Amino acid sequence: MKFLRIILTFVFLTVIKASAQTPAPTVPSFSFRKLDKKEFTSKDLETGKLLFFVFFDTQCDHCQRTIQYISQHYSQFSKTAIYLITLDSAEKIKPFINKYGVSLKDKKNVTILQDAQNEFIRK
């Protein structure tokens, strides 16, 4: 019985490892817009920092909880370049950030981006 558990555990871990995504070796090129309408491309990404991309929808419950968690635990992310990316309009983004990401507002390492060309999911 113990041997069977060990085998099943090994098989389970092997299947999980095989199905996990591997990180991309490079960030694909992209062109987004900041809330001030200025273009932001892959060339504008910070160097020498961990890059954390969060794709969110202002109406998504999971996204709301995620942004709220990041906001409440901002100190754990302070050395990371955070890119919050959405398809939503600025009129929806601002109230969303004010409600769920208030600690992220005006942080130097947090950039809010609009994906007007729907590039993020494809790439």
Side-chain angles (χ1 to χ4, degrees), residues 35-87:
L35 292 181
D36 62 7
K37 304 288 185 204
K38 291 181 183 174
E39 185 179 40
F40 186 94
T41 70
S42 51
K43 295 175 185 172
D44 297 313
L45 294 171
E46 284 197 52
T47 57
K49 280 190 174 183
L50 192 62
L51 306 178
F52 183 38
F53 297 91
V54 181
F55 185 73
F56 72 96
D57 183 309
T58 59
Q59 301 301 310
C60 167
D61 293 340
H62 174 74
C63 299
Q64 293 165 358
R65 289 190 303 273
T66 299
I67 298 299
Q68 190 170 41
Y69 180 88
I70 295 169
S71 182
Q72 290 170 344
H73 298 90
Y74 173 75
S75 63
Q76 296 173 14
F77 297 91
S78 62
K79 295 183 181 178
T80 303
I82 302 172
Y83 299 98
L84 305 178
I85 306 162
T86 185
L87 298 171

Side-chain angles (χ1 to χ4, degrees), residues 22-36:
T22 55
T26 61
V27 176
S29 62
F30 62 82
S31 177
F32 299 145
R33 295 268 177 227
K34 294 170 75 172
L35 292 181
D36 62 7

